[in-house]
Amino acid sequence: MRSAQQILADAQVIAVVGASRDPFKAAHRVPLEMQRHGWRIIPVNPTADELFGEPVYRTLADIPHPVDLVDIFRPADDAVEVVRQAVGIGAPAVWLQLGIVSPQARRIAEEAGIDYVEDRCLIVERAAAGLTRRS
């Protein structure tokens, strides 16, 4: 299993499930910050059409191209189904944001052989490792 920082170093395309239109929410600020550092952010939200200058998809299955990481901004109970969907699309890694912990989601990811991170923040890990995709 890769470390959180290695997952970020390897990823180029991050699908963000639960991406928010509200600029005061972490589910808006975190993906925007990752985008500013060069990652391609693919928002997944059933009620928005465009976020961060990208089209919004209703579900992970609707994304027409591979993603390297599925970042989850949903409650732990919802994360279980999102991890199942991530496995279904062949995502190599899932990441539950700070404060989100799910033993069941972890078990699903481990059984599928995909990398799993929980209760950690993308931008904190990015900053700690000094990672950027900008040249």
Side-chain angles (χ1 to χ4, degrees):
M1 295 298 247
R2 296 176 294 168
S3 70
Q5 292 176 350
Q6 188 61 52
I7 291 167
L8 284 181
D10 293 346
Q12 294 184 35
V13 178
I14 303 172
V16 180
V17 177
S20 176
R21 289 180 281 210
D22 184 341
F24 296 104
K25 288 189 172 183
H28 182 90
R29 292 189 318 268
V30 170
L32 188 58
E33 178 75 8
M34 293 302 288
Q35 186 182 59
R36 287 181 179 143
H37 282 276
W39 279 266
R40 179 160 183 218
I41 299 299
I42 308 299
V44 178
N45 178 315
T47 63
D49 293 322
E50 183 180 299
L51 283 169
F52 323 115
E54 291 277 353
V56 177
Y57 296 93
R58 301 294 175 243
T59 70
L60 288 173
D62 293 335
I63 300 172
H65 50 76
V67 299
D68 302 310
L69 173 61
V70 174
D71 182 37
I72 302 172
F73 275 99
R74 300 292 304 141
D77 288 347
D78 295 351
V80 173
E81 181 56 32
V82 176
V83 171
R84 282 193 186 108
Q85 292 173 21
V87 169
I89 66 165
V94 292
W95 187 301
L96 281 61
Q97 278 294 137
L98 198 61
I100 307 169
V101 175
S102 173
Q104 188 179 358
R106 176 183 291 276
R107 196 167 40 257
I108 293 164
E110 288 173 350
E111 288 172 1
I114 67 174
D115 292 315
Y116 180 88
V117 176
E118 67 181 8
D119 195 23
R120 296 183 68 184
C121 181
L122 285 179
I123 60 176
V124 170
E125 296 300 324
R126 185 213 62 76
L131 295 171
T132 187
R133 290 238 161 264
R134 295 268 180 239
S135 47

